[in-house]
Amino acid sequence: MNTEYKVIVVGGGHAGVEAAWAAANGLGTPNSVALISLDASKIGVMSCNPAIGGLAKGQLVCEIDAMGGVMGLIADATGIQFKVLNTSKGSAVHGPRCQSDRHAYASVAQELIRSRDEIDVIEGTVEELMINNAGARVSGVRLSTGLDRSEIEISASCVVVTTGTFMRALMHMGDVQTEGGRFGEQSATGISKSLNDLGFELGRLKTGTPPRLDITTIQWDELPVESGDDQPIPFSQLTPSGWSLGDVECDQFPRIDQVTCRQSSTCEISHEIIRKNLDRAPMFTGQIESQGPRYCPSIEDKVVRFAQRDSHGVFLEPESHDSDWVYCNGIATSLPADVQDEIIKHMPGCANAKIVQYGYAVEYDMIRPHQIYTTGETRKVRGLFFAGQINGTSGYEEAAAQGLIAGLNAARRALQGDAYKGFSFGREQAYIGVLMDDLVTKTPREPYRMFTSRAEHRLILRADNAPDRLTPIAKDLGLLDTSELGAQRYKLFEARKMILEQGRALLDELRDGDKTIAQRLLNPDFTIEMLRVALEPHLGDQPLSIWRTLHSDKRYEPYIERQLGQIKRNIDLEHRPLPEWIEYDGIGSLRTEARLALSKYKPTTFGQASRLEGITPSDITLLSVLVKRARADRRSLEAN
C-alpha cells in the first residue's frame, strides 16, 4: 500500500466523491489522491432519499457539473424519473430533479472513481489526524485497516474530512440505540476525538429516514400516478451528446427505463396512533437531544407541529430496478417498529404493505462551520479541510458542492505550498458561493438546506446558465485539463457559447409581424417552444438548454441588468478584505455585540462581516475607518 499522497479524502459519500474527483482534476498525477472509506462498496451510496436535485439543489448539481464534477453525470446515467419542479413560476426558481436507481448510482460512482489513475481507494477507519509544526499543519492520518485492524500512517500535505453522519454516530428507533451512521454500518469515533483534542468546537445534529416497503405488497395500480416530465432534461451538458469513461458509457438519455411513482398519505387514525405513542418517540422523550432539519421533519414532528392537519402527503418512490424496495417520501421517523407498522397499514394502498426496512434517526457530531474559510480549509490547521454534513448541512447536493470546493483547494494547496491562494465563489457567482458564505457567517443549529430564497442574485444564478457562468472558471483553475471528460466539456462549452451568440443576434434581427422576436419574448405567452420554432431554421436542432437560456436571458433582460448593476455597486464592499491580524476584542469603540460576532466568526471580507448576526450598517462604517487606521499604524510600526 502506498503511504504517501498529496491529498487524502476521508469518507466516500457524495462530498468525498466530489472532493476526490476535484483533487484528481487539479493534480493530474497518478496515485496522488487517497480516498479512505470504511467500506469501498458503500462509496456513493444514497443513504436516504434516492433522488438528486430539486428546488435550489438542482442548481447546485448543475454548477458542480459546470465545474467538472460528477454528480450530474451520475444522476443522468442512473435517473429513473426526471422532473423540473416549480415550472409554474419564473425560470430563476425552476428546480431540476431526478429520482435515481440507488444501486446503479453507487455502482456508477464507484466505477468512475476506479477509472481515475490519480485516485487510490483504501478501506479503513481513520483513528487520528496527524499534525506537525506545533499544531499548525496537517501531515496525514493514522488509520486501522484489515481484519486484524492493524494501524498504519499515511502522509499528505492536505486532508479533506467528509465523514457525513458517521462521527460518533448513534441510530435511534424507539428506545433501541445502535452505534452507526447508516443501517448496518459502524460509527467513526476516533476522528471525532481527534478533532476535539485539536480544539475544534463540535456540535451535534440529527437526521432521519423513512421506512421502505415491498412494492409487491402495495396496491400499486390503485394509487394516483406521479409521473416525470415527458421531455426529460439532464443535469450535465455532456449528457445530450453522450459520454464515456472507463467502463461507464452514457450514449443515450435517459439511459435507464423510466418509472412512475404513486401518491399516498397519512390519515387521522395514523395521527392518533402517533400521538398516543409520543412517549416512545426518542425526539420527544429526551433520548434525542440534538436538532433535526426544520424543512424535512419527521412524521411525529409534523403531527405535533401541524395539529390542525388530518393528513400529510406521502410519495411512494421505487428505489431501483434491481429491488422491490419503495421509499416512503414524507414520513421519516424514529418511532418503534410496531408503531411504524400501524402507520403504514392505514395509508391508502398500503393495508397489506410489508416494511422491509424500518425508519430510524441518526445523531452525529459536526463541526461548527465558523471554524472554516469559504475554501473549506480550517482556520486552526493548515491543509485540513472539512466538507459535507460534518459542516452542519443537509442533503447530497450541499455535501457534493462542498466536496468540490474542498478538493479543488486541497489540490491547489498541495501544489502551491506556502504560495497557496485559496479559491472561493462570491454570492453573485454561484449557489455554491451562497452556501459556503452562509456556513461561515451563520452557525447552523439545525441541518442547513439550500433554498432559492437564500440567493439574492438567483435571477442570474439559474440552472440553465451554469456552464456559461462557471465552465470558464473551471478552465482557468485547471480542472478541465487533466481528464478526457474535461476536454470534452470545454469543447461543448465553446460550441454552446457560439450558438448562444448567434441566437441573441437573431432575436433582434428576425421579425414576427411588426415586432422582432426579442419584442415578442416580452409577452408572457411567448413560450420556449415558440422560440424554438422561430430560431431552429437558422440555428438547427439544439439542446433544450440552449432555448431555455435564450428565452430567460431576453425575457428578464431588464431585471438581469438591474441586478448586475447592483452587484457592481456592491462589489467593493463585498470583496474588500479584512486582515486576519485584527483583534476585535480590543476595539473598544465597537459595540459589544459587534465585537463578539466579529471575534467569533472572523470574517475575511467586509461583505461577510455585514451579514453576521448582530452587525449593523453603522458597525460596518465604523469598522472601515478603524481598519484603515489600524493598517496605517501597522505600516508605521514596520517602517520603524
Side-chain angles (χ1 to χ4, degrees), residues 67-122:
M67 288 293 293
V70 289
M71 176 170 269
L73 292 174
I74 303 171
D76 289 345
T78 61
I80 53 180
Q81 186 185 96
F82 291 83
K83 191 168 189 174
V84 178
L85 309 181
N86 239 13
T87 53
S88 63
K89 299 181 180 180
S91 59
V93 294
H94 290 179
R97 178 188 188 270
C98 88
Q99 187 181 325
S100 282
D101 184 310
R102 70 187 306 267
H103 298 304
Y105 189 99
S107 176
V108 170
Q110 291 164 28
E111 289 180 18
L112 287 177
I113 290 295
R114 285 194 297 267
S115 73
R116 296 299 298 263
D117 293 337
E118 297 92 340
I119 303 173
D120 290 347
V121 175
I122 301 171

Side-chain angles (χ1 to χ4, degrees), residues 21 24-25 68-70 73-74 77 107-119 238 242-251 255 482-489:
W21 192 269
N25 284 344
V70 289
L73 292 174
I74 303 171
S107 176
V108 170
Q110 291 164 28
E111 289 180 18
L112 287 177
I113 290 295
R114 285 194 297 267
S115 73
R116 296 299 298 263
D117 293 337
E118 297 92 340
I119 303 173
L238 288 173
W243 58 273
S244 63
L245 186 64
D247 296 328
V248 183
E249 294 185 3
C250 187
D251 55 2
R255 182 187 182 203
T482 57
S483 73
E484 54 188 275
L485 281 184
Q488 185 181 355
R489 189 183 302 277

Side-chain angles (χ1 to χ4, degrees), residues 281-355:
M283 65 176 295
F284 287 97
T285 63
Q287 181 176 310
I288 294 177
E289 298 180 355
S290 50
Q291 186 68 38
R294 182 192 316 179
Y295 302 102
C296 188
S298 66
I299 186 59
E300 52 265 41
D301 195 18
K302 287 181 184 178
V303 168
V304 172
R305 287 168 54 189
F306 307 107
Q308 73 280 9
R309 296 277 299 271
D310 56 14
S311 69
H312 291 282
V314 180
F315 290 98
L316 302 179
E317 303 173 340
E319 289 199 339
S320 173
H321 285 300
D322 293 330
S323 82
D324 292 326
W325 286 27
V326 172
Y327 182 89
C328 296
N329 193 341
I331 52 170
T333 184
S334 57
L335 285 161
D338 61 297
V339 180
Q340 294 187 43
D341 285 329
E342 289 296 312
I343 295 170
I344 292 296
K345 80 177 187 180
H346 288 98
M347 285 168 39
C350 298
N352 300 310
K354 177 184 176 184
I355 297 179

Side-chain angles (χ1 to χ4, degrees), residues 27-28 44 51 70-71 78 90 100 113 128 167 170 174 187 238 240 340 395 420 426 487 490 498 502 601 630:
L27 294 170
V70 289
M71 176 170 269
T78 61
S100 282
I113 290 295
E128 184 182 7
M167 281 208 313
L170 187 64
S187 173
L238 288 173
Q340 294 187 43
Y420 162 73
Y490 197 72
M498 182 180 69
Q502 294 174 359
Y601 290 96

